[in-house]
Amino acid sequence: FQYLKRFDRGRDLDAFRYEALSVEGSPAECLQLFLLHCGIMDPSWAELRNFTWFLNIQLRDCEASDFCNPGVVQDILNGF
């Protein structure tokens, strides 16, 4: 949710890191963003769960990758 919220507002995601235990927005806002970005017109709860699970794994791996760390790659791979 933290990434999707910033993405919708046009903020730079390269330097952002997930903040564990940080509460942002309301449950309704969270659900609305998931519905907007999941890519399915009328998703079931299982499809929303799969979307959030997959997105979470991808973003966690991205944060752990040196190729996505702005401190390591600096301007070489900007936006990668």
Side-chain angles (χ1 to χ4, degrees):
F1 173 73
Q2 293 175 10
Y3 273 97
L4 290 177
K5 184 176 178 181
R6 284 162 179 77
F7 175 78
D8 271 3
R9 293 181 176 171
R11 296 202 179 151
D12 180 26
L13 298 176
D14 289 343
F16 176 72
R17 293 286 184 247
Y18 167 71
E19 299 170 24
L21 304 176
S22 172
V23 177
E24 293 184 17
S26 67
E29 183 183 10
C30 181
L31 181 58
Q32 182 180 9
L33 278 179
F34 289 160
L35 289 169
L36 180 67
H37 289 283
C38 78
I40 299 172
M41 203 61 156
D42 186 20
S44 67
W45 285 111
E47 289 167 327
L48 280 176
R49 185 224 173 259
N50 288 338
F51 167 71
T52 57
W53 175 79
F54 178 77
L55 184 62
N56 185 53
I57 297 241
Q58 295 299 308
L59 292 171
R60 186 179 57 209
D61 289 348
C62 179
E63 284 186 355
S65 171
D66 285 338
F67 291 105
C68 299
N69 184 337
V72 173
V73 296
Q74 295 173 1
D75 293 334
I76 297 170
L77 299 173
N78 190 21
F80 179 71

